[in-house]
Amino acid sequence: MMMRSSRFSDTIHVFTLTVICFTTLFSSSILVQGKIRRFKWEVKYELKSPDCFEKPVITINGQFPGPTIKAQQRDTIIVELKNSFMTENVAVHWHGIRQIGTPWFDGVEGVTQCPILPGEIFTYKFVVDRPGTYMYHSHYGMQRESGLIGMIRVSPPRTKPEPFKYNYDRSLLLTDWYHKSMSEKATGLASIPFKWVGEPQSLMIQGRGRFNCTNNLMTPQRSEAEVCNASNADCSRFVLTVIPGKTYRLRIGSLTSLSALSFQIEGHNLTVIEADGHYVEPFTVKNLFIYSGETYSVLLKADQNPNRNYWITTSIVSRPEKTPPATSVLNYYPNHRRRRPPTPEASNFQPAWNDTHPRLAQSLAIKARRGFIHAPPENSDKVIVLLNTQNKVNGYMRWSVNNVSYQHPTTPYLIALKHNLTDAFDWRFTPPESYDSGNYNIFAVPSNANATMSDGIYRLKFNSIVDVVLQNANTMNVNNSETHPWHLHGHDFWVLGYGEGKFNELEDPKRYNLVDPIMKNTVAVQPYGWTALRFRADNPGVWAFHCHIESHFFLGMGIVFEYGIDRVSDLPSSIMGCGQTKR
Ligand SMILES: O=C1O[C@H]([C@@H](O)CO)C(O)=C1O
């Protein structure tokens, strides 16, 4: 069998090997060329016990979480990825990297590429065009939650220092963790009766959690010690060592499957300075709320009593607290790394899980940093209002947007559109750009919960300004509305406003922040609330926009935007090979 790696040269011809940008330095225009950073990754399952419970975990070159990619703005990243799974496909998304000019390397199976089959090698190649904190993860089914995750740090060029100072740079990736396999959970979600995935067994900081093995009721055919072993080195607590008096930049990212989190360090303030790759006006918090798909940088000053260690904690908000918090240790050098903080483990401040007000307050407090404000255009060309609901389709439980539940086709859209494969998906179906807001009660269980499935997509005008209002509503359970973090591929958007209740299209836009809104790639819509965002459709391609909760996107909570397909260069043949595509 010929492997796709042999098409490496095809990939290269569509994307010049060196990235050349013009920039103004010392008041004169000179040519700046980033470095090429090559990585060879082998992706496979290994039996590991990251929360003391043993299960197959995805590793990259033996590591979980995967290696942090460190690069400088304008560098070209080349990842040669070998799929060493025995039976599973894979695709990797570079979360927050806009893929300007390379939409085919966005890594979304069914949208931008065919999946990478077991045994194949696929080469991703893209430019990191902005400094900041980003992530990568699997975008194949719900595979992300099996552990294919990692961080990307992009530093600015030396000539453009950042507007804050710190002594050391550290990353902390937060996740939640299930003991059941992806296929067991997916089977339950796609069954009648519906079997919900439930709350995660553990939370993890940098891939380490601690499940209470005495609660372990699973796999009775194996001895408990074999399956869950509290002294396994895989689940020893992550330790962050700091030197008294020094300032640390902590890059905190969340790739949870389900949970919204609060993150806190006992006795220390956190000064927020960056969100999703954009500098924010610094503000100080005791705890940072973070949703799946978001990244923040905070400054931490090691300015407390240096004779002891402190708890670092992350806990669930927005869903009932069934999963215990994850803890790491902030170790003040030269105390011993393993010295237990003197306070009880859960004594750290933790906000109430069901109080949305402090979460909304944090979101409202974030503004673009003075001197780095990139104000949005005053008006938009189009407004799309997206009602988020839980529904039934033919008796199956689904999530929908304006009553349409998303399913992606077997032929990726990007290829279907570029190669004019007109029956690869439903080209004629135009998904609705609004819902019947006058008659819809967002506070009640839907009176008619039936929705339709479709693979139709939203087609935008190149360079148009698009507003999207995400409207939350009651689920199919009485008095229940959930938090949904929405992630847009290929763009950053301005966050124009948040509100409680139903969005009022005449009044609410008058309160939009058009002065100093932050730009992000992921934003939450709170229970029974709405969130408004604006973006410029200036990156031709096909882009997913979806709830970052794994099971919700799996159940149809997403849409796809297309525009400017005629401006997309020839596609590399490495992304082909499935559905109607030909290699
Ligand atoms: O998709 C979901 O299903 C469950 C629950 O609504 C099932 O009754 C839940 O909490 C979700 O987020």
Side-chain angles (χ1 to χ4, degrees):
M1 189 175 94
M2 195 155 72
M3 297 213 289
R4 280 195 210 146
S5 55
S6 61
R7 283 173 224 279
F8 183 45
S9 54
D10 294 338
T11 313
I12 289 172
H13 94 266
V14 291
F15 190 80
T16 43
L17 243 179
T18 49
V19 178
I20 297 168
C21 303
F22 285 98
T23 192
T24 307
L25 275 182
F26 308 116
S27 316
S28 65
S29 279
I30 62 161
L31 208 56
V32 174
Q33 183 184 319
K35 278 200 183 118
I36 292 177
R37 296 183 190 267
R38 282 177 191 278
F39 302 90
K40 270 190 177 209
W41 284 1
E42 183 178 20
V43 172
K44 63 174 184 225
Y45 276 101
E46 289 183 62
L47 286 173
K48 284 191 175 286
S49 309
D51 71 341
C52 306
F53 179 88
E54 186 185 84
K55 65 167 268 188
V57 178
I58 299 178
T59 60
I60 299 175
N61 298 342
Q63 291 181 48
F64 163 74
T68 299
I69 294 181
K70 293 180 190 159
Q72 209 175 51
Q73 186 177 10
R74 291 191 276 273
D75 285 351
T76 298
I77 308 295
I78 302 179
V79 177
E80 204 182 281
L81 187 142
K82 173 150 199 252
N83 177 354
S84 288
F85 295 146
M86 273 168 284
T87 54
E88 242 170 70
N89 300 337
V90 69
V92 177
H93 170 54
W94 315 93
H95 184 112
I97 308 297
R98 289 171 297 171
Q99 300 291 355
I100 295 169
T102 50
W104 45 80
F105 288 141
D106 194 39
V108 187
E109 174 246 349
V111 178
T112 61
Q113 71 167 99
C114 291
I116 309 163
L117 305 180
E120 288 188 335
I121 294 172
F122 183 91
T123 304
Y124 288 98
K125 185 164 188 291
F126 54 88
V127 173
V128 286
D129 65 306
R130 258 179 321 121
T133 307
Y134 309 100
M135 303 184 285
Y136 62 81
H137 60 81
S138 164
H139 222 301
Y140 176 74
M142 299 200 298
Q143 196 179 57
R144 183 180 91 217
E145 61 188 54
S146 302
L148 206 173
I149 52 172
M151 291 195 91
I152 305 173
R153 283 189 206 170
V154 184
S155 56
R158 281 209 189 90
T159 50
K160 261 196 172 175
E162 292 179 299
F164 37 78
K165 296 228 169 329
Y166 51 90
N167 303 104
Y168 299 98
D169 198 342
R170 300 280 183 268
S171 302
L172 291 176
L173 188 51
L174 312 179
T175 40
D176 50 14
W177 197 246
Y178 286 90
H179 291 169
K180 284 188 178 153
S181 68
M182 166 179 85
S183 57
E184 188 168 356
K185 281 175 287 179
T187 305
L189 294 175
S191 294
I192 297 178
F194 176 68
K195 188 148 189 236
W196 173 236
V197 296
E199 299 302 312
Q201 278 63 60
S202 300
L203 296 181
M204 304 211 283
I205 301 176
Q206 270 307 93
R208 283 149 191 267
R210 289 191 76 77
F211 180 68
N212 183 351
C213 292
T214 54
N215 291 348
N216 177 31
L217 301 172
M218 296 182 65
T219 52
Q221 72 276 21
R222 290 168 74 185
S223 85
E224 228 158 63
E226 193 190 342
V227 177
C228 197
N229 177 357
S231 54
N232 191 315
D234 285 359
C235 61
S236 64
R237 275 194 193 85
F238 180 75
V239 177
L240 179 70
T241 299
V242 293
I243 299 169
K246 298 289 184 202
T247 299
Y248 290 77
R249 176 184 190 163
L250 301 185
R251 298 175 187 256
I252 303 166
S254 172
L255 285 177
T256 52
S257 318
L258 176 69
S259 316
L261 299 175
S262 169
F263 173 89
Q264 44 270 325
I265 303 184
E266 187 187 9
H268 292 73
N269 287 332
L270 306 172
T271 303
V272 182
I273 47 164
E274 182 216 339
D276 292 5
H278 294 273
Y279 300 137
V280 303
E281 192 58 24
F283 66 103
T284 299
V285 293
K286 282 252 170 287
N287 69 294
L288 177 78
F289 293 109
I290 180 164
Y291 304 93
S292 182
E294 287 190 315
T295 66
Y296 289 96
S297 284
V298 298
L299 295 182
L300 166 77
K301 185 143 202 233
D303 59 1
Q304 296 301 302
N305 174 2
N307 299 319
R308 54 164 286 194
N309 292 339
Y310 298 82
W311 292 114
I312 301 175
T313 317
T314 192
S315 47
I316 292 186
V317 289
S318 93
R319 299 186 68 96
E321 292 163 291
K322 293 194 180 137
T323 312
T327 51
S328 289
V329 171
L330 183 73
N331 163 235
Y332 268 64
Y333 181 83
N335 295 309
H336 195 279
R337 292 166 54 79
R338 299 264 162 255
R339 192 162 146 205
R340 226 182 131 85
T343 43
E345 189 167 338
S347 64
N348 220 338
F349 167 75
Q350 282 168 41
W353 72 266
N354 52 357
D355 186 0
T356 48
H357 293 102
R359 303 206 288 276
L360 201 55
Q362 181 192 290
S363 299
L364 292 168
I366 307 183
K367 304 273 186 274
R369 188 176 179 120
R370 266 171 266 160
F372 295 86
I373 297 171
H374 176 35
E378 280 197 10
N379 297 301
S380 64
D381 300 308
K382 180 195 259 309
V383 179
I384 301 176
V385 183
L386 301 176
L387 177 71
N388 295 200
T389 50
Q390 197 178 27
N391 298 82
K392 288 266 168 102
V393 176
N394 300 330
Y396 290 94
M397 184 74 93
R398 302 286 299 176
W399 283 87
S400 312
V401 173
N402 292 347
N403 241 33
V404 178
S405 189
Y406 170 79
Q407 58 175 3
H408 64 65
T410 49
T411 304
Y413 295 107
L414 181 64
I415 311 171
L417 288 156
K418 189 74 195 157
H419 292 184
N420 223 23
L421 306 171
T422 50
D423 57 351
F425 69 93
D426 192 354
W427 288 50
R428 290 145 308 167
F429 180 75
T430 315
E433 292 184 358
S434 60
Y435 71 105
D436 182 11
S437 67
N439 291 316
Y440 194 96
N441 182 358
I442 63 157
F443 297 103
V445 170
S447 51
N448 174 4
N450 288 331
T452 47
M453 295 277 252
S454 174
D455 57 12
I457 61 174
Y458 289 77
R459 309 197 67 175
L460 305 174
K461 245 169 87 185
F462 173 66
N463 233 357
S464 59
I465 306 294
V466 181
D467 279 6
V468 176
V469 180
L470 296 160
Q471 174 68 62
N472 212 339
N474 205 99
T475 62
M476 292 186 59
N477 301 317
V478 180
N479 288 335
N480 178 245
S481 180
E482 300 185 353
T483 307
H484 302 285
W486 278 79
H487 172 58
L488 177 59
H489 290 234
H491 305 76
D492 291 325
F493 47 74
W494 291 276
V495 183
L496 300 183
Y498 301 88
E500 290 174 288
K502 200 186 269 186
F503 175 74
N504 179 323
E505 55 206 79
L506 291 177
E507 292 307 315
D508 288 322
K510 293 183 190 157
R511 295 187 287 116
Y512 282 169
N513 177 6
L514 299 176
V515 178
D516 56 1
I518 45 161
M519 296 196 80
K520 296 187 95 256
N521 60 61
T522 305
V523 74
V525 53
Q526 299 292 349
Y528 301 113
W530 57 265
T531 301
L533 49 102
R534 177 169 293 174
F535 68 95
R536 187 186 289 276
D538 58 359
N539 186 16
V542 184
W543 305 108
F545 179 46
H546 61 93
C547 176
H548 214 254
I549 292 175
E550 280 283 68
S551 45
H552 288 182
F553 186 40
F554 179 80
L555 291 168
M557 196 173 196
I559 61 171
V560 168
F561 291 118
E562 175 279 334
Y563 60 85
I565 198 77
D566 46 321
R567 294 168 185 264
V568 171
S569 317
D570 289 349
L571 304 176
S573 62
S574 61
I575 66 168
M576 320 277 176
C578 58
Q580 297 182 23
T581 71
K582 298 212 170 48
R583 285 199 224 166

